[in-house]
Amino acid sequence: MLAYIIKRTLAVIPVMAIVALIVFLILRLTPGDPAAIIAGDSATPEQIASMREAMGLNEPIYLQFLHWIGQLLQGDLGTSLLSGTSVNALIASRIWPTLYIALLTIVMSVLIAVPLGTIAAWRHGRLSDHIVMIISVAGFSVPAFVVGYIFIKIFAADLRWLPVQGYKDPALGFGEFLRHAILPALTLTTAYVALTARMTRASLLNVLGEDYIRTAHAKGVSEPRVLLQHGLRNAAVPILTVVGTGFAMLLSGVVVVESVFNIPGIGRLTIDAVMARDYPVIQGMILLTSGIYVLVNLAIDLAYTLFDPRIRY
Amino acid sequence: MGIHFKPGLRVQRLFAGQSTMRLVAAGMMVLTAGVAHAQEKTVTAVMHSGLRMLDPIVSTAHITRDHGYMVYDTLVAFDGDGVVQPQMASWEKSEDNLTYTFKLRDGLLFHDGAKVTAADAVASLERWGARDGAAKFLMAATDSIKATDETTITWKLKEPFPLLLDVLAKQSSVPAFIMPARVAATPADTAITEYVGSGPFEMVESDFQPGVKIVYKRFEDYKPREEAASGMAGGKVVNVDRVEWVSMPDPQTAINAIMTGEIDLIENAQIDLLPVLEASPDVTVEIRDKLGYQGFARMNFKHPPFDNVEIRRAAMTALGQEQVMATMIGNPDYYWLCGAIFGCDTPLGDETGSETLQAGGDKAKAREMLEAAGYDNTPVVIMQPTDIGAMGTVPVVVASELRDAGFNVDLQPMDWQTLVSRRASMNKPSEGGWNIFTSFASGVEANTPLVHPILPSTGDTGWFGWANDPELEALRADYLKATTPEQQKEIAHKIQARVMDNVIFVPLGNYAFVQVRSNKLTDMLPTPVPVFWNIKLAD
């Protein structure tokens, strides 16, 4: 197992190197000039030109790339062209809201979706199955911003139970964190419940048709035990894959929900950086996102062994 | 069932690491800090843009300028009547108009506790003078600026410069902010990294999140002037403890937040969302900056067809301000037709040459003019920004009007930053260049020939579009030498006529930023630059 982990971890390096090269080149080929953006709309061409020179944007691209790679090898993602803040510090300050809301979303999604999917599979073809599937299709089809606005209208604007927007770090009080995070997390949960419940149902239906389930029933094992221990456990691998990739997607930033609820997460950081052509921040965010995907996939692969002893690395 | 607990345990372990350490440690700090902050009065405002760039000399962005007025102070300032008044310094002028002596007032301190000295002011003025367009005129006429003692700045001119005080007091963009000499030693094209000023607010650096939030606290040692606040002059008395600017990318979120009392001010609300707020008893919808903004179309003088003045005139004749403003703003309460390049109802306001623009354009006449000019159907590339809300509609209207007049229009959608980059290209329109883009200028930075950003018409060194008009440049030079308001007005009239005749740019109508203010927030000054001194916040 350890050898496998080391091998997979080392495999990250060439992946990240290729990502770094592609990202760097694509950004330089995209129209846009960070110097013009910083100088502002009233700046003269002369002012912008002097900014470009001072910012090193007139250097040959290969020199800029080597400079950036040199920084990367020292663990330094560079400095934001706009704010002058270190990209490491920017990401460190913006990843927590995204991480906490992603965790809350995943926990709520799993707690709601797995029982729903299990009931749907158990009651396959009956009314409860249809209801769960209708909820799933609806949850997946309605755009997140619509769900978000509906929640804001009901719980924040009308009932005044929860704030409309903003984010509070849990370090400043878990209650306040929850008050601010619950609506965005619920909004995201709507879609993820739909996805996970459908996967749970499909996977469980597949397992419930196996011979060993019939054998368990024949041996007189109770229905809940058959369903949960024999069925759900064996159906867990695809569910785990969906939950894991969903978590990686959430960690990459959920721009719409972050905008609707004004959450300073990494989704907004990325979009703002793209709009402003803040190259070092965009490069840092894409590298981070790639790294998250690679590591979450590794974690999912390792987690398979918890549910299926036949899987060995 | 036990197997199901394992992932849960993994989650617990994840929480048990750094997050919980942060939670406990910060929680302890907050428990104690919370008591101190309990009685603080904090104004929370959603400004027109997120603040990312903190150097108000390097950037001409309005949000950076607004930040500058929080943290820094200026030697002199315009009052509410447009008259220059002492702010950090009073002045005397020699009889030959060649020497100005500024005397810093007592009690001026930087946020780090150091005294503001004449040497700080000189270093700041030199950096500003190397960067700002209007300041460069002044510096060209300057012989020397020296700190003759700790509180005296002696400014010697090579030739009289009647507008010296106006340039020093100008609000936008870039104002002559005073910084510590060590900060002002930063090259003028490199952003500063230390944010110490002597203004009425201190920036709380630890709370700054670029593009998301900036926090200011009252500078306790700031000594306001004794006069009442007026315009950007007078006593900058701060009645609140903290001001937080938060950015909200979704305009609807900001509307909801002010309705529920989570924020106190929206500097620029989206106009189509205003009906909800206008009915609310808890907020006031108002126009704070009466000068507003002027939309304009700029043509590229370097390439056909607009290298031909007759074709530029035909294009302007085809355009009507009402169509543009009605599409862009919609509600006539928030826009007005105005053909004056220096703004209507301003001392230099003059609408000469804008008759067809205000009459909705004259397509038939434009067609005739186009034919007479020998237009050969050269495509007109219009850049359309699609990501900046209502502004994106203006090029669509312009394109439609020009097509109706017989132009062959190629409307090209793009994001604003691509436009900003592409407008700097002098290539042919077919090779990555352009023929027309539209933008806007704020009234306060376009109300005199001295500060208007689009007027410089010196060819390749002028503003994007590269108009080359020696006659206009001569008029601008005359304006700098004018010594009386009457002379200034006369020259401004000639400039207006010249701009319209040579179609340096096309004024497309004026509109206002519509501010939404909680009724708890009062006494906000009606200044073009939003300022947070003088305001009061009820409990």
Side-chain angles (χ1 to χ4, degrees), chain B residues 17 56 79 120 139 190 219 246 307 364 377 389 477 490 505 515 522 528:
Chain B
D79 66 14
D120 295 314
M139 291 302 169
T190 303
F219 178 37
V246 293
D307 56 346
N377 213 37
E490 189 188 333
F505 64 94
Q515 169 174 286
T522 57

Side-chain angles (χ1 to χ4, degrees), chain B residues 176-203:
Chain B
F177 292 122
I178 303 303
M179 303 173 175
R182 64 178 183 282
V183 178
T186 310
D189 52 11
T190 303
I192 56 171
T193 54
E194 188 186 348
Y195 313 109
V196 174
S198 64
F201 290 94
E202 285 181 76
M203 173 184 165

Side-chain angles (χ1 to χ4, degrees), chain B residues 198-215:
Chain B
S198 64
F201 290 94
E202 285 181 76
M203 173 184 165
V204 182
E205 274 191 65
S206 56
D207 286 350
F208 175 51
Q209 292 184 60
V212 174
K213 181 181 178 184
I214 183 156
V215 178

Side-chain angles (χ1 to χ4, degrees), chain B residues 314-391:
Chain B
M316 185 165 79
T317 305
L319 298 173
Q321 292 190 340
E322 177 63 32
Q323 295 91 309
V324 172
M325 286 293 119
T327 308
M328 179 184 165
I329 305 295
N331 186 339
D333 291 345
Y334 304 128
Y335 72 81
W336 57 99
L337 307 187
C338 173
I341 61 169
F342 301 122
C344 290
D345 298 326
T346 62
L348 303 180
D350 177 331
E351 300 190 87
T352 302
S354 64
E355 294 77 14
T356 54
L357 282 170
Q358 297 195 63
D362 185 340
K363 305 289 181 304
K365 189 176 172 194
R367 276 185 174 276
E368 284 172 22
M369 292 169 74
L370 200 55
E371 200 171 326
Y375 175 59
D376 60 359
N377 213 37
T378 302
V380 172
V381 172
I382 302 181
M383 299 194 286
Q384 182 205 0
T386 53
D387 59 333
I388 54 169
M391 272 301 293

Side-chain angles (χ1 to χ4, degrees), chain A residues 22-304:
Chain A
I22 292 174
V23 167
F24 188 90
L25 290 177
I26 284 178
L27 285 179
R28 294 318 188 274
L29 294 172
T30 308
D33 182 356
I37 293 157
I38 291 170
D41 200 29
S42 304
T44 61
E46 185 190 2
Q47 287 172 325
I48 294 168
S50 75
M51 290 283 299
R52 282 188 63 80
E53 187 65 34
M55 291 163 72
L57 295 169
N58 285 339
E59 284 183 6
I61 286 182
Y62 76 92
L63 276 183
Q64 293 183 44
F65 182 70
L66 289 177
H67 178 64
W68 179 57
I69 288 292
Q71 285 178 323
L72 269 186
L73 292 175
Q74 298 169 52
D76 178 5
L77 291 169
T79 304
S80 162
L81 294 175
L82 260 76
S83 64
T85 316
S86 120
V87 177
N88 296 42
L90 270 178
I91 290 175
S93 71
R94 302 289 284 272
I95 192 133
W96 293 105
T98 302
L99 178 66
Y100 287 139
I101 285 171
L103 278 172
L104 194 58
T105 302
I106 286 296
V107 168
M108 289 200 301
S109 300
V110 169
L111 289 179
I112 297 168
V114 172
L116 277 183
T118 306
I119 290 168
W122 180 37
R123 296 291 181 189
H124 177 52
R126 298 187 192 177
L127 182 63
S128 47
D129 179 23
H130 294 313
I131 290 173
V132 170
M133 284 305 98
I134 288 169
I135 291 171
S136 294
V137 170
F140 206 70
S141 308
V142 182
F145 74 91
V146 174
V147 178
Y149 282 147
I150 291 170
F151 284 157
I152 288 172
K153 169 80 176 130
I154 297 171
F155 297 107
D158 290 347
L159 297 172
R160 305 277 174 114
W161 290 351
L162 296 165
V164 167
Q165 53 81 40
Y167 169 80
K168 296 285 179 199
D169 196 294
L172 304 177
F174 195 70
E176 271 302 293
F177 160 73
L178 265 188
R179 263 172 50 76
H180 285 82
I182 196 78
L183 286 186
L186 260 182
T187 303
L188 291 166
T189 298
T190 309
Y192 280 87
V193 159
L195 188 67
T196 314
R198 284 170 67 86
M199 181 51 73
T200 305
R201 175 182 177 273
S203 181
L204 198 52
L205 275 180
N206 209 22
V207 170
L208 291 179
E210 295 287 340
D211 290 344
Y212 60 83
I213 296 291
R214 196 169 347 116
T215 306
H217 278 302
K219 282 167 68 181
V221 179
S222 68
E223 187 72 16
R225 197 177 160 89
V226 170
L227 199 62
L228 299 177
Q229 192 165 340
H230 296 274
L232 198 54
R233 183 174 173 180
N234 283 297
V237 167
I239 300 171
L240 197 64
T241 308
V242 168
V243 171
T245 48
F247 187 57
M249 281 170 68
L250 287 168
L251 281 184
S252 313
V254 191
V255 178
V256 173
V257 168
E258 286 181 7
S259 294
V260 168
F261 291 97
N262 192 31
I263 295 163
I266 56 175
R268 265 179 66 191
L269 177 65
T270 311
I271 292 298
D272 286 351
V274 170
M275 300 307 288
R277 308 293 192 269
D278 197 344
Y279 298 146
V281 179
I282 306 171
Q283 288 161 188
M285 283 309 308
I286 294 180
L287 277 183
L288 175 76
T289 306
S290 315
I292 285 173
Y293 268 88
V294 171
L295 292 177
V296 168
N297 276 318
L298 176 61
I300 293 169
D301 288 351
L302 296 177
Y304 288 161

